[in-house]
Amino acid sequence: MYLLNRIKMRIEVDVVISNAYLNCIKNESKFKYGNVKDFLFHFIKCELLFRNSSSKDEIINSLESEYPIEEAEDELKDKILFELNYQEQKSVIEIYRNTVDDRIKLIFFETYHDKGYNTTRSIADHFNISVFTAHAMITEMKTDLRQLKHELNKHHYE
């Protein structure tokens, strides 16, 4: 159940165990007596975690969809909206990077975004400035990014 939850597959545990048992019988010569449990755990783990395994394809193809098509469509819509939002954020970041006029703001942005100094304290330590100044600069940068996003959306929908 842990592996199924980890990879977010809607498959019954019994189906996975049965499939592993059938493959265990097919590969009986590969393990010694007493090694069956280890073989089954390894097989289940590998087959579920690797994307293009034949057993995983068999399991998925043998199952009927247990949730309605509407739910699958909603899930797909959510994924598409998430991807669009992500792409929009990446676009705003790149536009900001290419259009910022102030060299200090650009250096600060690159330190924050590219180098990963993304907390007030880490920025303050990196630039040897006060925490209050670092907070003000982060707030100003985020405000600029939000404003740019708002302007882009406004122009997009006009």
Side-chain angles (χ1 to χ4, degrees), residues 35-96:
N35 215 8
V36 177
K37 182 179 174 183
D38 295 336
F39 179 83
L40 285 172
F41 279 129
H42 178 72
F43 179 82
I44 290 171
K45 182 178 77 171
C46 291
E47 291 297 310
L48 291 178
L49 293 179
F50 295 123
R51 291 181 180 208
N52 296 327
S53 65
S54 59
S55 294
K56 186 175 183 180
D57 292 340
E58 287 175 20
I59 291 171
I60 291 171
N61 291 336
S62 69
L63 294 175
E64 295 178 1
S65 178
E66 294 183 12
Y67 54 97
I69 294 173
E70 294 170 3
E71 189 175 320
E73 288 175 357
D74 289 342
E75 188 177 318
L76 180 62
K77 286 178 186 176
D78 289 343
K79 287 181 180 180
I80 290 171
L81 287 173
F82 176 79
E83 183 65 29
L84 287 173
N85 186 36
Y86 176 72
Q87 292 300 327
E88 182 183 38
Q89 287 176 348
K90 281 178 55 175
S91 300
V92 168
I93 287 171
E94 287 306 312
I95 291 170
Y96 180 80

Side-chain angles (χ1 to χ4, degrees), residues 25-38:
I25 292 172
K26 288 179 191 175
N27 297 312
E28 189 175 352
S29 62
K30 290 185 179 179
F31 53 88
K32 300 174 185 173
Y33 180 75
N35 215 8
V36 177
K37 182 179 174 183
D38 295 336

